[in-house]
């Protein structure tokens, strides 16, 4: 940004801030949009982005959620037109805005969907940027949208693993039924396996089962062999099955997979659809009809029905 344009932009922002301070929100909003439009038409995208971003921040600080939301959507439009790629700077700008968005903002779900759609389109990540996912997950939880937060934590950063475990653990404790533990543990294991993130699956396994053992005190024996730790539960066979499934998927051994399903036939029946998909992805076992969990997840991200 050359000094002349920089000085002009600084004066524009100063006038804008004065109007915000005076409570003249409508005029401030319209004026900023008009000037930003000029920058966009002349392809001065950096100037437009700076102006829109600062305007959105000011409206958020002034508790003007409607105007702020409009400018956030406009910022995403400019990001798209300018082909702004996912980077520390571009994501950081969105994260800063999202943190300031009111937890009860009516546009929150649309804002996070728009942000993630941009990051899907303009990064190498199939489901969007993990850092952005982590921030989105935090905001959705703060806004009480915990079910929508699940997929973002699952596809987030290493920091998101513990948050995802805590989220599912809270659902389990709210259910107040120890026999339902596999319903929640399976979501961790299966979801990480679906996206082939075995490292996070192992970490989530350890964190969740430690909570279960510490809080419920079930009958359990720990087997630690060849760097794989199995918590063998006398009364929770699904937990044993899911741990062994994780190990089996890591090996890629088709015979082990088939033997596991035979040995734990009841558990295998319970997770039939999930195992059909994993059989194809990890062991090359084709089935007549596949339930595409990744496709379903993508649909959820793009504003379709959630889980």
């Amino acid at each position: 940004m050359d000094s002349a344009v920089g000085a002009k932009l600084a004066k524009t922002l100063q006038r804008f801030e004065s109007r915000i301070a005076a409570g003249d929100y409508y005029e401030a909003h319209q004026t900023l949009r008009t000037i930003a439009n000029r920058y966009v038409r002349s392809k001065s995208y950096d100037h437009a982005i700076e102006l829109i971003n600062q305007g959105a921040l000011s409206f958020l600080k002034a508790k003007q959620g409607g105007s702020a939301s409009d400018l956030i959507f406009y910022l995403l439009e400019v990001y798209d037109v300018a082909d702004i790629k996912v980077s520390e700077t571009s994501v950081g700008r969105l994260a800063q805005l999202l943190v300031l968005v009111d937890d009860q903002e009516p546009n929150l779900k649309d804002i996070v969907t728009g942000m993630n759609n941009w990051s899907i389109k303009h990064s190498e990540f199939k489901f969007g940027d993990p850092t952005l996912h982590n921030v989105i997950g935090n905001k959705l939880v703060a806004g009480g949208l915990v079910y929508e937060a699940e997929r973002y934590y699952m596809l987030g950063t290493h920091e998101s693993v513990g948050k995802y475990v805590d989220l599912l653990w809270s659902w389990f404790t709210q259910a107040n039924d120890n026999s339902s533990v596999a319903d929640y543990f399976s979501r961790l294991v299966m979801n990480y396996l679906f996206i082939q993130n075995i490292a996070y699956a192992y970490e989530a396994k350890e964190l969740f089962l430690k909570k279960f053992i510490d809080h419920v005190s079930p009958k359990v024996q720990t087997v630690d062999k060849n760097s794989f730790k199995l918590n063998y539960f006398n009364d929770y066979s699904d937990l044993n099955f899911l741990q062994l499934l994780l190990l089996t998927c890591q090996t890629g051994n088709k015979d082990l997979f088939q033997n596991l399903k035979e040995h734990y036939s009841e558990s295998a029946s319970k997770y039939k659809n999930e195992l059909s998909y994993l059989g194809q992805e990890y062991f090359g076992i084709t089935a007549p009809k596949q339930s595409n969990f990744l496709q379903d997840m993508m649909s959820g991200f793009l504003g379709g029905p959630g889980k």
Side-chain angles (χ1 to χ4, degrees), residues 3-19:
S3 57
V5 174
K8 186 177 179 181
L9 187 58
K11 285 183 179 179
T12 299
L13 285 167
Q14 190 174 22
R15 288 197 302 272
F16 171 78
E17 293 289 352
S18 297
R19 285 176 179 155

Side-chain angles (χ1 to χ4, degrees), residues 48-62:
I49 287 169
E50 177 68 15
L51 183 61
I52 298 165
N53 180 61
Q54 289 301 321
L57 285 171
S58 295
F59 276 125
L60 287 170
K61 290 170 184 175

